[in-house]
Amino acid sequence: PPIPRSSAAMAATPDQPKQPKTAYWLWLGANREAVSKRVGVTKMSEVAKAAGVEWKGMTPAAKASYEKKATQEKAAYVKALAEFKKAGGTVAGRKSKKTKEGKEGKKVK
């Protein structure tokens, strides 16, 4: 049988805000289908390669709207993260496959 929990343990905790998308990811989200049609494939790795080349070749004026939106999303994220921390939330770090534990006995190259 499940272990009963106290009402304090069941209280809702605030969720950590997700990091904002970069200008490139905003552009790719809006243009993935068009890039896929231009390339003639739907395989994500091929579409991503073509999109990366296309993004690098774009003029700063063409990128401006995506960069502006990315800046706005970043500001909203910073504000939400500050509120999250103020409410007592702890920021979860990235999980790394490589940890420092267990490396003490190994030789360094």
Side-chain angles (χ1 to χ4, degrees), residues 10-21:
M10 295 178 77
T13 58
D15 292 328
Q16 179 177 341
K18 291 186 179 183
Q19 289 190 347
K21 294 180 181 178

Side-chain angles (χ1 to χ4, degrees), residues 39-96:
V39 175
V41 294
T42 57
K43 188 175 178 184
M44 191 56 213
S45 61
E46 296 299 319
V47 173
K49 285 178 188 178
V53 170
E54 192 171 326
W55 174 258
K56 287 179 183 177
M58 288 174 63
T59 64
K63 294 179 182 182
S65 65
Y66 297 102
E67 290 172 345
K68 181 179 178 182
K69 182 154 175 66
T71 302
Q72 291 169 345
E73 285 190 13
K74 172 91 180 213
Y77 167 75
V78 168
K79 183 179 177 183
L81 187 62
E83 290 173 5
F84 172 75
K85 288 178 181 178
K86 188 177 180 181
T90 55
V91 178
R94 295 180 113 185
K95 293 182 181 178
S96 175

